[in-house]
Amino acid sequence: MYLCNRFGLFYIKMKTALKYIFFFVIVFITYPLYTPDFGIGLDDSYVWGLNWLFCNDYQTLLRLIYPIGPLGFLKMPTIEGYNFLIYNIFTISIKFFFVFFAFHLSKLFYKSTFIPLCAIFFASCYATTDILISFLCIILCTIFLKEKKNLPYYIIACCIASIGWYIKSSIGVACFSVIAVTLALSIYEYRSLKFFFATLSLFFATFLSVSLIIYNDLHLFLVSFLGTIKLVMGYGGAMSLHPDNNWWYLSVFFISIISFPFVVKEKYPRFVFLLALFPLFANWKHGIIREDIYHYKTFVVFCYVFWAVLLLSVSKNVRRYTSVALALISLCMITLNYSYFLKTERPNLANCGTRNFYSMVISYNSTMATADSLTTSAILACTLPNETLGEIGNSSIDFFPCDYVFAAQNKLNWQPRTTLGAAMSPSLKNEATRNYFADKSSVNFVFWKLQNDVTYDNRYFLSDEPCAVFNILNNYKIIEQNESFLLLKKSDNSSFSKKYVDKEFTARYNEWIDVPYFDDEVLRVKLFTKTTIIGSIKKALYKDEIYYIDYLTKDNNVYTYRLFLPSVCDGIWINPFFRHPSDGNQREKIKQIRFRNSCEKCIENKIMIQFEHLQLKNPQKLFKIQQFQQENLRVKSSL
């Protein structure tokens, strides 16, 4: 009897050990590929900036109001410090916990292990870290609801949701929605308001505890949290793209999703569906607004994991077959839609394998060395001339719009503004941020990277961030310039002597509007428009329309640029019109402007227009320096 008990205990321990080993094997063979190098460009600039601040200026990082939080390096690490090492540890942990708790969830509904392990392996192959965090919360909350008030699972879910918020706001929004639905379902499941308020208080206590560990300052945490909420609310109008979609495919996709709770008439699969529904919608909005290969791929991958986790909770065999059929239809439709907006390139949805684990974890030092070499080569073109570096010295500098890799290459004393140059993305109404360059304590130099007359998505470079542009031109003077950049230094005197606005008047889309021109002032226009009910519904479920402005010059040339609607109430630049600011003499006179949009039914045709006049103290010095030596500015032409 004693030997039998010992053998039975040994058998249980061996079985448990083999189970854990198998979970690690899944992590090993589905490890995602990520390279910590960076180069020139919008994304690489802010990725490097956030990583550098975490290692070198953590207090400044905490003051940022940005969609990616203080722990953003856990999603996008670079070679700075030990960020990539911590990223690997975090990725292994999240993957292992996902596999572990997903297997635990399946044991509540499945007697066999083959189908659950296939679903878990399938999800692990495709899921990125941010998607794993969302579904880990969903799985933990489902177990909490199934196992009747098992609070440890709920507490872990709250901790993971809090960490997700500080990695990226979109992860936090998805996870917080899971917690909110869990609390609502707990009322239905337990019929106890006392337990509901206890679990609600537990969530707030967990989130506040994690926040205070990260910020160590309640006021700083509240300012950052409220600012990020404003960013999230304004994302619907940010940098959207409008490629073609096959709405027949998408309609079948939506029908297959919505039909699941009606076809699979079981309580806990419906719970999982409700828990995952808002994260699914949030990922749809995130992927479809900026509908490029990367963002749309993220949504498709989310759908793959969505169906895999749903299948783990279906207990009846017949309904499992129905669920598999719905999943196949759904995933085929959303994947086939790729062909309508990607004409040539096709995404690699499953970017995982054992080679990734070996190169990123086992050969960590070699990977870091390779990434360092690639980074050095990629940002070499950002090297500034010695004369420019001597002028800047160790003085504080910021970059406009956001080319921070110049600081990385030239070892400059970078001091970022609160929004890290992202005020152009959402409608952030924060005076301290909008008027940053007007503050006496702002940076001594501004490095303005030029891309002809446009910025991202073909927006006119002087209209992209009207408040920042006004304060830079008003409080800084140009000391060096060429086709690639402007270097501005803080000035003791302002450039504008007076600012006043004309009376509002009514105009319409698609009609030309006469504009005044004065040699001694800058003219801007403020636009106020409203969407129709159809437009509001479309914006809530899909995305906003595209807005354009057409400039008609005195020589009858027409120039068209895209508008970012949340910025138009701050002032769109009209006169003097510059095709490129590297030569202050090359200015044109605009005699008429016209506003257009992509859907007349979604926007009210009547718009309110107001001209804003900025009188110049010295009209000849706008975008022009008196003593300029081209030979002192040997910046590589590849910028």
Side-chain angles (χ1 to χ4, degrees):
M1 186 69 178
Y2 174 75
L3 290 175
C4 289
N5 290 338
R6 289 293 299 271
F7 179 77
L9 184 61
F10 176 76
Y11 174 76
I12 293 173
K13 288 183 177 180
M14 284 298 296
K15 186 177 179 181
T16 304
L18 289 173
K19 182 174 70 174
Y20 282 106
I21 292 172
F22 185 72
F23 292 161
F24 275 112
V25 168
I26 294 180
V27 173
F28 173 69
I29 61 182
T30 63
Y31 203 73
L33 176 64
Y34 185 88
T35 52
D37 58 288
F38 61 91
I40 301 172
L42 171 62
D43 292 342
D44 285 12
S45 281
Y46 76 72
V47 167
W48 172 82
L50 292 168
N51 276 266
W52 185 87
L53 287 173
F54 181 81
C55 294
N56 299 280
D57 195 353
Y58 187 65
Q59 289 303 311
T60 297
L61 177 64
L62 295 180
R63 291 183 174 87
L64 295 184
I65 299 173
Y66 201 66
I68 300 174
L71 304 181
F73 73 96
L74 295 177
K75 174 179 169 65
M76 297 173 295
T78 63
I79 56 177
E80 300 295 323
Y82 295 100
N83 290 4
F84 187 52
L85 176 62
I86 301 172
Y87 162 84
N88 278 321
I89 295 172
F90 180 77
T91 302
I92 293 172
S93 302
I94 288 294
K95 257 192 175 292
F96 177 81
F97 287 134
F98 171 80
V99 174
F100 177 83
F101 287 114
F103 185 78
H104 180 72
L105 176 68
S106 70
K107 296 298 289 184
L108 301 176
F109 302 98
Y110 282 78
K111 292 182 179 180
S112 64
T113 58
F114 177 74
I115 295 177
L117 286 177
C118 289
I120 293 169
F121 179 79
F122 176 80
S124 298
C125 285
Y126 290 95
T128 56
T129 303
D130 47 351
I131 293 176
L132 286 176
I133 292 173
S134 299
F135 278 100
L136 187 51
C137 279
I138 293 170
I139 291 169
L140 288 166
C141 289
T142 305
I143 298 173
F144 163 70
L145 293 169
K146 173 68 174 175
E147 295 193 343
K148 305 303 179 186
K149 301 184 180 180
N150 199 334
L151 283 175
Y153 293 103
Y154 175 75
I155 295 172
I156 297 172
C158 292
C159 290
I160 292 173
S162 302
I163 293 172
W165 172 264
Y166 290 114
I167 294 175
K168 190 176 182 182
S169 58
S170 59
I171 303 175
V173 169
C175 292
F176 290 164
S177 72
V178 174
I179 300 297
V181 175
T182 302
L183 293 171
L185 291 175
S186 70
I187 299 177
Y188 169 82
E189 188 75 353
Y190 306 136
R191 303 293 196 276
S192 173
L193 286 177
K194 181 179 179 181
F195 183 73
F196 166 78
F197 285 112
T199 50
L200 178 62
S201 301
L202 189 58
F203 164 70
F204 283 119
T206 304
F207 179 59
L208 184 60
S209 299
V210 173
S211 301
L212 291 179
I213 291 172
I214 293 174
Y215 280 89
N216 196 29
D217 187 318
L218 182 60
H219 178 263
L220 189 60
F221 151 67
L222 290 174
V223 170
S224 176
F225 179 77
L226 294 175
T228 306
I229 290 293
K230 291 181 180 180
L231 288 177
V232 173
M233 293 175 65
Y235 182 74
M239 304 179 76
S240 59
L241 299 177
H242 290 70
D244 294 330
N245 289 290
N246 187 311
W247 287 100
W248 290 106
Y249 288 161
L250 292 179
S251 298
V252 175
F253 165 76
F254 292 130
I255 292 172
S256 64
I257 293 285
I258 296 171
S259 61
F260 175 83
F262 300 98
V263 173
V264 181
K265 298 179 181 180
E266 297 181 34
K267 181 169 70 171
Y268 290 106
R270 287 177 172 178
F271 279 6
V272 176
F273 177 83
L274 291 174
L275 290 170
L277 188 59
F278 185 84
L280 179 70
F281 176 73
N283 274 267
W284 156 259
K285 286 283 289 183
H286 187 260
I288 211 69
I289 286 176
R290 187 68 182 176
E291 195 174 358
D292 56 14
I293 185 171
Y294 170 76
H295 290 84
Y296 189 82
K297 169 188 170 181
T298 302
F299 174 66
V300 173
V301 169
F302 189 95
C303 293
Y304 282 28
V305 185
F306 171 83
W307 281 108
V309 173
L310 275 182
L311 291 173
L312 294 178
S313 62
V314 181
S315 59
K316 304 294 184 181
N317 282 330
V318 175
R319 289 168 182 164
R320 287 172 187 164
Y321 301 142
T322 306
S323 300
V324 170
L326 286 175
L328 291 176
I329 293 171
S330 172
L331 298 179
C332 284
M333 293 299 102
I334 197 67
T335 305
L336 285 172
N337 189 53
Y338 264 121
S339 60
Y340 278 82
F341 70 91
L342 293 177
K343 304 304 181 184
T344 56
E345 188 176 6
R346 290 294 179 270
N348 181 14
L349 295 176
N351 195 13
C352 61
T354 56
R355 185 177 298 178
N356 300 339
F357 187 89
Y358 179 83
S359 63
M360 294 172 62
V361 180
I362 307 300
S363 301
Y364 171 80
N365 291 332
S366 176
T367 300
M368 287 289 287
T370 302
D372 186 36
S373 177
L374 291 172
T375 297
T376 301
S377 300
I379 66 174
L380 184 63
C382 294
T383 305
L384 295 174
N386 292 332
E387 293 82 358
T388 303
L389 295 177
E391 179 69 34
I392 299 171
N394 195 41
S395 300
S396 59
I397 187 171
D398 198 5
F399 299 85
F400 186 81
C402 54
D403 292 272
Y404 313 119
V405 291
F406 280 88
Q409 175 64 16
N410 300 282
K411 312 300 181 187
L412 299 174
N413 181 18
W414 173 47
Q415 293 184 13
R417 57 198 185 277
T418 308
T419 56
L420 203 66
M424 61 183 179
S425 295
S427 180
L428 180 61
K429 302 302 181 184
N430 185 322
E431 290 300 322
T433 298
R434 288 150 53 90
N435 297 326
Y436 167 76
F437 291 109
D439 195 288
K440 293 182 179 180
S441 62
S442 62
V443 291
N444 299 113
F445 289 90
V446 174
F447 184 92
W448 191 335
K449 178 71 164 54
L450 303 175
Q451 302 177 25
N452 295 321
D453 58 333
V454 296
T455 60
Y456 309 105
D457 297 336
N458 199 43
R459 298 197 286 264
Y460 185 52
F461 78 106
L462 291 174
S463 299
D464 209 7
E465 293 187 62
C467 292
V469 168
F470 168 78
N471 285 310
I472 289 174
L473 295 180
N474 191 37
N475 297 286
Y476 291 79
K477 60 181 180 181
I478 300 174
I479 60 172
E480 292 186 5
Q481 63 185 27
N482 70 359
E483 293 182 355
S484 300
F485 72 84
L486 301 176
L487 181 64
L488 302 99
K489 185 176 182 179
K490 184 179 284 292
S491 175
D492 295 330
N493 301 313
S494 60
S495 299
F496 300 107
S497 59
K498 188 178 180 181
K499 178 179 179 180
Y500 65 95
V501 294
D502 293 340
K503 186 179 179 180
E504 281 187 350
F505 64 93
T506 302
R508 296 185 181 276
Y509 283 104
N510 298 311
E511 74 173 15
W512 288 102
I513 302 167
D514 294 328
V515 298
Y517 182 86
F518 301 95
D519 290 331
D520 62 342
E521 71 175 28
V522 168
L523 180 71
R524 303 199 301 184
V525 63
K526 297 183 177 183
L527 169 68
F528 304 92
T529 185
K530 294 181 179 180
T531 57
T532 62
I533 296 176
I534 295 175
S536 298
I537 295 173
K538 181 181 178 183
K539 181 178 179 180
L541 298 178
Y542 184 52
K543 53 184 156 186
D544 203 358
E545 301 305 316
I546 313 175
Y547 295 85
Y548 301 98
I549 181 171
D550 299 321
Y551 294 88
L552 179 64
T553 68
K554 293 287 186 179
D555 298 327
N556 292 322
N557 296 318
V558 177
Y559 300 106
T560 299
Y561 301 92
R562 185 176 170 180
L563 288 179
F564 175 57
L565 195 60
S567 295
V568 297
C569 59
D570 291 326
I572 303 302
W573 190 285
I574 304 297
N575 275 316
F577 183 75
F578 297 92
R579 289 291 289 166
H580 197 288
S582 61
D583 189 342
N585 292 321
Q586 292 184 356
R587 60 179 73 186
E588 298 187 57
K589 296 181 180 180
I590 301 299
K591 65 178 182 180
Q592 288 182 319
I593 57 173
R594 177 176 62 184
F595 295 101
R596 295 183 290 114
N597 61 67
S598 58
C599 181
E600 295 181 358
K601 295 180 180 179
C602 296
I603 310 295
E604 291 186 5
N605 193 30
K606 185 176 71 173
I607 54 179
M608 299 304 296
I609 300 294
Q610 188 176 35
F611 287 118
E612 180 185 61
H613 303 263
L614 308 174
Q615 289 189 346
L616 288 161
K617 292 180 179 178
N618 189 343
Q620 301 302 320
K621 292 189 66 174
L622 188 65
F623 288 118
K624 184 180 180 183
I625 57 177
Q626 294 178 341
Q627 295 180 350
F628 172 63
Q629 295 180 344
Q630 183 69 36
E631 63 271 12
N632 289 338
L633 301 171
R634 303 186 187 93
V635 178
K636 293 180 173 58
S637 59
S638 60
L639 287 178

